[in-house]
Amino acid sequence: MNNPYLPFPSEILTVIKHTKKEYTFRMAFTGDVKPGQFFEVSVPKYGEAPISVSGIGPNYVDLTIRKVGRVTNEIFERYVGDHFFMRGPYGNGFDVNLFSQGETLVVAGGTGVSPVRGVIDALANSADAKDKHVIVGFKSPDDMLFRDDLKRWDEKLDLCLTVDGAPEGYTGNIGLVTKFIPEVPLKDVSTAKAIVVGPPPMMRFSIMGFLEKGFKEENIWVSNERKMCCGLGKCGHCRIGSTYVCLDGPVFNYTESKNMID
């Protein structure tokens, strides 16, 4: 039996640069994994950090990493052919099949696009892709992630791409993601499903927008990546009441997450 505490070495297959601080590392991995799950990524002597799965393919997973601290700074010194250590995947992830039928609205902000990238890909390839609506927001045009994916999604489903602010002459949407929720053309909001992932304030106001639009609470899902540390429910950093985010989440139905008062 594999030891869940023991990390394994994984080879860097590709490095994709998005911004100055955000790269996607395509890592060798064979096994079952779902969008919304996460790996604990470590570099000996530097520590480890939880990183969401941003892509899944044959014998690899994508990990989109932001350079923000001791561990990630060291990861950014690694290149194709190098290795770092991983353990996981952990968490429950998104059930893609749950959103494949009927109308779905996905709202994601910044690096929150990473956990739902696989879900959006599946929606874009579904038979009723035009009934799938996606609102993606970034701080500025320079902060956009997954630009090739954004172009592909725009061709296949109803995509609204927006930025919080932009230099003069920018011709795209400007405004917070919540500004565009009322404009989504839903046929039957009583059966539509919604997902929101991003910074806590953005998630809170997006959910308010969903409810005002008429979404049912049980048809809303969130990814609550709060203070995850060990990934195994042992350290208690992510515990809210009796809930361990790393074990019971990070994906929650809103009927559960609304009672998780931190």
Side-chain angles (χ1 to χ4, degrees), residues 107 177-178 181 196 201-211:
V107 178
V177 292
T178 49
I181 292 175
V196 59
M202 168 247 166
M203 292 175 63
R204 183 169 64 252
F205 286 105
S206 293
I207 290 171
M208 289 172 58
F210 295 158
L211 297 176

Side-chain angles (χ1 to χ4, degrees), residues 227-247:
K227 299 180 181 177
M228 295 188 301
C229 189
C230 71
L232 294 161
K234 299 300 183 183
C235 71
H237 281 78
C238 70
R239 186 168 68 90
I240 303 175
S242 61
T243 300
Y244 289 83
V245 174
C246 68
L247 293 180

Side-chain angles (χ1 to χ4, degrees), residues 33 38 46 96 121 181 212 214:
V33 60
F38 67 97
Y46 290 91
V96 174
D121 268 339
I181 292 175
E212 289 173 3

Side-chain angles (χ1 to χ4, degrees), residues 123-172:
L123 298 182
N125 293 323
S126 63
D128 56 349
K130 291 303 178 182
D131 287 335
K132 314 302 184 185
H133 311 277
V134 177
I135 303 174
V136 175
F138 296 101
K139 186 176 180 181
S140 74
D142 289 340
D143 293 303
M144 288 183 183
L145 307 178
F146 311 119
R147 293 172 186 267
D148 290 341
D149 292 318
L150 292 170
K151 293 177 183 177
R152 181 164 47 82
W153 297 339
D154 190 37
E155 294 172 355
K156 294 191 172 184
L157 45 69
D158 177 31
L159 174 70
C160 173
L161 173 62
T162 184
V163 294
D164 296 349
E168 187 175 349
Y170 181 73
T171 58

Side-chain angles (χ1 to χ4, degrees), residues 49-60:
I51 306 294
S52 297
V53 172
S54 63
I56 303 166
N59 301 317
Y60 74 81

Side-chain angles (χ1 to χ4, degrees), residues 5-259:
Y5 295 90
L6 189 64
F8 53 87
S10 178
E11 181 183 356
I12 301 172
L13 303 177
T14 306
V15 178
I16 304 164
K17 182 178 179 180
H18 302 295
T19 71
K20 291 180 180 179
K21 291 187 176 181
E22 285 143 332
Y23 293 6
T24 290
F25 291 81
R26 180 158 292 176
M27 307 302 301
F29 177 76
T30 302
D32 294 331
V33 60
K34 294 193 295 186
Q37 289 189 299
F38 67 97
F39 285 86
E40 292 288 346
V41 174
S42 61
V43 179
K45 298 188 292 184
Y46 290 91
E48 66 178 3
I51 306 294
S52 297
V53 172
S54 63
I56 303 166
N59 301 317
Y60 74 81
V61 291
D62 287 345
L63 304 178
T64 300
I65 301 176
R66 191 176 190 195
K67 188 177 182 181
V68 292
R70 178 180 170 88
V71 180
T72 53
N73 286 348
E74 183 61 24
I75 288 172
F76 270 56
E77 297 298 321
R78 308 292 167 116
Y79 299 95
V80 173
D82 285 347
H83 296 73
F84 52 73
F85 287 86
M86 295 164 38
R87 55 184 178 88
Y90 297 121
N92 56 355
F94 288 100
D95 180 358
V96 174
N97 292 327
L98 187 64
F99 307 98
S100 62
Q101 301 296 321
E103 295 179 291
T104 301
L105 170 58
V106 180
V107 178
T111 54
V113 180
S114 297
V116 290
R117 182 182 173 216
V119 177
I120 299 173
D121 268 339
L123 298 182
N125 293 323
S126 63
D128 56 349
K130 291 303 178 182
D131 287 335
K132 314 302 184 185
H133 311 277
V134 177
I135 303 174
V136 175
F138 296 101
K139 186 176 180 181
S140 74
D142 289 340
D143 293 303
M144 288 183 183
L145 307 178
F146 311 119
R147 293 172 186 267
D148 290 341
D149 292 318
L150 292 170
K151 293 177 183 177
R152 181 164 47 82
W153 297 339
D154 190 37
E155 294 172 355
K156 294 191 172 184
L157 45 69
D158 177 31
L159 174 70
C160 173
L161 173 62
T162 184
V163 294
D164 296 349
E168 187 175 349
Y170 181 73
T171 58
N173 294 314
I174 298 178
L176 302 178
V177 292
T178 49
K179 171 184 174 182
F180 300 95
I181 292 175
E183 301 175 8
V184 175
L186 295 173
K187 299 173 184 175
D188 186 359
V189 72
S190 67
T191 59
K193 303 179 183 69
I195 298 171
V196 59
V197 188
M202 168 247 166
M203 292 175 63
R204 183 169 64 252
F205 286 105
S206 293
I207 290 171
M208 289 172 58
F210 295 158
L211 297 176
E212 289 173 3
K213 194 171 179 67
F215 279 89
K216 293 181 178 179
E217 290 187 351
E218 60 267 28
N219 287 342
I220 301 172
W221 281 261
V222 304
S223 180
N224 184 358
E225 299 178 348
R226 173 201 177 276
K227 299 180 181 177
M228 295 188 301
C229 189
C230 71
L232 294 161
K234 299 300 183 183
C235 71
H237 281 78
C238 70
R239 186 168 68 90
I240 303 175
S242 61
T243 300
Y244 289 83
V245 174
C246 68
L247 293 180
D248 303 313
V251 176
F252 295 94
N253 186 269
Y254 177 62
T255 56
E256 302 171 275
S257 67
K258 70 176 184 178
N259 298 316

